[in-house]
């Protein structure tokens, strides 16, 4: 059974940094496109960052560009999201997702491209 387990969430003050991890129980992990999304209270889920399988091409949400780094360690079946200069509006549950179809290596920003999701990890940024 494919599983994604996020960790690293917590509370941080505005201007601080936080790193999230997503451990995947996937064979051939290096071929999977991986994404991070978030859902803030009362808002719809939105794209944060993605990294493709293969070359590791990345894409970031415009609203957070410059404050994010997504990376992956294929030897550890783990994808990471490093966030800096956090703002109260970044408060949300952050979800890791995998594109198990992986027909094309691409950092998709659409949630519909991903078919395996983690349970999420809460990130709270206080002012």
């Amino acid at each position: 059974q494919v599983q994604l387990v996020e960790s690293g969430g917590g509370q941080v003050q505005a201007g601080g940094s936080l790193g999230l991890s997503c451990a995947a129980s996937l064979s051939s992990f290096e071929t999977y496109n991986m994404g991070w999304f978030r859902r803030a209270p009362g808002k719809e889920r939105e794209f944060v960052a993605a990294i493709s399988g293969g070359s590791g091409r990345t894409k970031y949400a415009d609203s957070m560009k410059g404050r994010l780094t997504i990376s992956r360690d294929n030897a550890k079946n783990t994808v990471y999201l490093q966030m800096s200069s956090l703002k109260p509006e970044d408060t949300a549950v952050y979800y890791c997702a995998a594109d198990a179809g992986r027909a094309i290596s691409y950092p998709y920003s659409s949630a519909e491209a991903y078919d395996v999701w983690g349970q999420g990890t809460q990130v709270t940024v206080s002012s």
Side-chain angles (χ1 to χ4, degrees):
Q1 183 178 356
V2 177
Q3 274 192 316
L4 301 176
V5 180
E6 302 97 335
S7 62
Q11 186 165 353
V12 63
Q13 288 194 329
S17 300
L18 201 62
L20 305 182
S21 300
C22 172
S25 61
L26 300 166
S27 60
S28 303
F29 171 77
E30 65 277 6
T31 67
Y32 282 77
N33 302 317
M34 302 294 295
W36 285 97
F37 292 78
R38 69 183 184 183
R39 187 190 299 273
K43 296 186 177 181
E44 294 186 352
R45 179 176 55 191
E46 65 174 343
F47 168 72
V48 175
I51 186 166
S52 70
S55 66
R57 181 178 172 183
T58 60
K59 180 182 288 187
Y60 298 99
D62 289 341
S63 62
M64 297 187 74
K65 196 171 291 184
R67 302 192 290 123
L68 299 173
T69 302
I70 187 171
S71 60
R72 63 193 301 160
D73 184 338
N74 293 329
K76 295 182 178 179
N77 277 26
T78 301
V79 62
Y80 304 96
L81 182 69
Q82 185 66 37
M83 303 182 289
S84 61
S85 301
L86 285 163
K87 306 174 183 179
E89 51 264 42
D90 294 322
T91 294
V93 177
Y94 284 71
Y95 298 91
C96 175
D99 170 18
R102 63 190 194 281
I104 299 173
S105 292
Y106 188 79
Y108 293 104
S109 58
S110 170
E112 285 69 32
Y114 299 91
D115 43 14
V116 181
W117 292 81
Q119 293 299 307
T121 185
Q122 176 71 46
V123 172
T124 302
V125 185
S126 57
S127 57

